[in-house]
């Protein structure tokens, strides 16, 4: 399934979800909007679900801009045999080949971006639960947006490192393990939401209905099953 195009996803909450204190949902809709995503094997799809004792499906996807990069990856994943992707030589060749193209695209996006950054980052998380009493879906969603992906990652890593120094804990832990409990989780989130450059942080918002998932997810799953 990795690399297969999953269709379109809205990286924003509907206007009906706008409530007092909800930061940036309309702004992330304007700056990011709806984007094509592809399946990617982020370990968090499994580890977070395990920590939260999620029952059912859990998945992760990502996308980039401009859309031609998503389309190119989708074509490569469809055409290139799976065995090639396991070859370090082929992966290195592909990375070296694409590097100048990525740099040229980054430069173009920086020139044409309204914020002169060209590396806007957005993330959406949806949790859908089922009420056993009336069988209605209960949905909680969260949206985050930052003007620079590189600075967002760097500043977040720094906050995690500082928190670890100030509140040490033994052993090696994943973030979802370290911040499993409410107090440490609120402590780190209070820092992450105030990282400079953040233009959207909605907190967890309860929605009336489940958001639209990737539009071509069922087709991608069918293709992946046929390739097995």
């Amino acid at each position: 399934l990795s690399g297969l195009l999953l269709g379109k996803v809205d990286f924003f909450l509907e206007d009906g979800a706008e409530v007092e204190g909800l930061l940036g949902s309309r702004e992330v809709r304007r700056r990011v909007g709806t984007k094509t995503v592809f399946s990617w094997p982020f370990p968090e799809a499994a580890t977070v679900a395990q920590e939260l004792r999620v029952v059912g499906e859990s998945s992760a996807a990502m996308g980039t801009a401009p859309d031609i990069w998503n389309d190119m990856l989708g074509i490569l994943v469809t055409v290139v045999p799976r065995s090639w992707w396991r070859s370090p030589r082929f992966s290195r060749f592909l990375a070296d080949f694409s590097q100048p193209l990525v740099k040229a695209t980054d430069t173009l996006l920086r020139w044409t971006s309204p914020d002169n950054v060209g590396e806007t980052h957005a993330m959406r998380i949806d949790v859908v639960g089922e009420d056993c009493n009336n069988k209605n879906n209960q949905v909680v969603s969260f949206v985050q947006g930052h003007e620079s992906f590189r600075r967002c990652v760097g500043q977040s890593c720094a906050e995690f490192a500082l928190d670890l120094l100030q509140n040490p804990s033994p052993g090696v832990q994943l973030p979802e393990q370290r911040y499993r409990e409410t107090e440490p989780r609120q402590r780190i989130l209070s820092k992450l939401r105030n990282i400079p450059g953040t233009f959207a942080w909605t907190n967890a918002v309860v929605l009336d209905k489940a958001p639209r998932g990737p539009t071509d997810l069922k087709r991608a799953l069918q293709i992946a099953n046929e390739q097995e």
Side-chain angles (χ1 to χ4, degrees), residues 1-215:
L1 186 60
S2 296
L4 290 178
L5 296 181
L6 302 182
K8 301 285 188 179
V9 168
D10 297 333
F11 283 89
F12 56 87
L13 303 181
E14 296 295 338
D15 288 343
E18 291 283 359
V19 295
E20 184 178 355
L22 185 60
L23 171 63
S25 181
R26 290 178 180 173
E27 181 67 7
V28 78
R29 181 172 188 165
R30 182 183 71 84
R31 296 175 66 162
V32 180
T34 302
K35 298 295 182 185
T36 300
V37 298
F38 52 85
S39 177
W40 204 246
F42 290 108
E44 290 85 356
T47 56
V48 172
Q50 183 178 13
E51 287 299 317
L52 296 179
R53 297 180 177 86
V54 171
V55 177
E57 299 177 350
S58 178
S59 63
M62 67 172 293
T64 187
D67 261 346
I68 188 173
W69 286 114
N70 301 313
D71 296 335
M72 287 175 59
L73 178 63
I75 293 173
L76 284 171
V77 169
T78 302
V79 174
V80 176
R82 287 279 166 171
S83 59
W84 288 26
W85 293 103
R86 301 186 181 96
S87 168
R89 179 179 297 180
F90 174 75
S91 297
R92 179 174 292 277
F93 162 76
L94 203 61
D96 293 341
F97 174 78
S98 62
Q99 190 64 33
L101 300 177
V102 172
K103 288 184 177 180
T105 303
D106 286 346
T107 301
L108 176 63
L109 290 176
R110 191 174 296 114
W111 286 344
T112 58
S113 172
D115 52 14
N116 295 319
V117 177
E119 49 182 275
T120 303
H121 162 75
M123 175 172 58
R124 176 171 180 162
I125 301 172
D126 300 308
V127 179
V128 181
E130 186 176 272
D131 188 334
C132 297
N133 294 321
N134 56 25
K135 302 300 182 181
N136 290 329
N137 287 335
Q138 296 180 326
V139 186
V140 176
S141 292
F142 164 81
V143 172
Q144 177 261 0
H146 194 282
E147 64 184 18
S148 169
F149 175 73
R150 284 180 290 182
R151 282 194 283 124
C152 179
V153 172
Q155 291 167 339
S156 297
C157 288
E159 292 293 353
F160 280 118
L162 287 172
D163 185 71
L164 183 60
L165 291 172
Q166 296 166 357
N167 303 275
S169 58
V172 178
Q173 298 172 306
L174 296 170
E176 49 268 30
Q177 294 171 328
R178 175 174 169 80
Y179 301 106
R180 181 190 298 114
E181 304 301 329
T182 301
E183 189 278 327
R185 184 166 61 249
Q186 290 180 342
R187 183 181 67 231
I188 191 64
L189 288 177
S190 67
K191 298 177 181 179
L192 296 178
R193 70 166 58 97
N194 292 312
I195 288 177
T198 299
F199 62 83
W201 185 287
T202 65
N203 291 321
V205 179
V206 178
L207 303 179
D208 294 331
K209 62 179 180 178
R212 182 181 68 168
T215 54

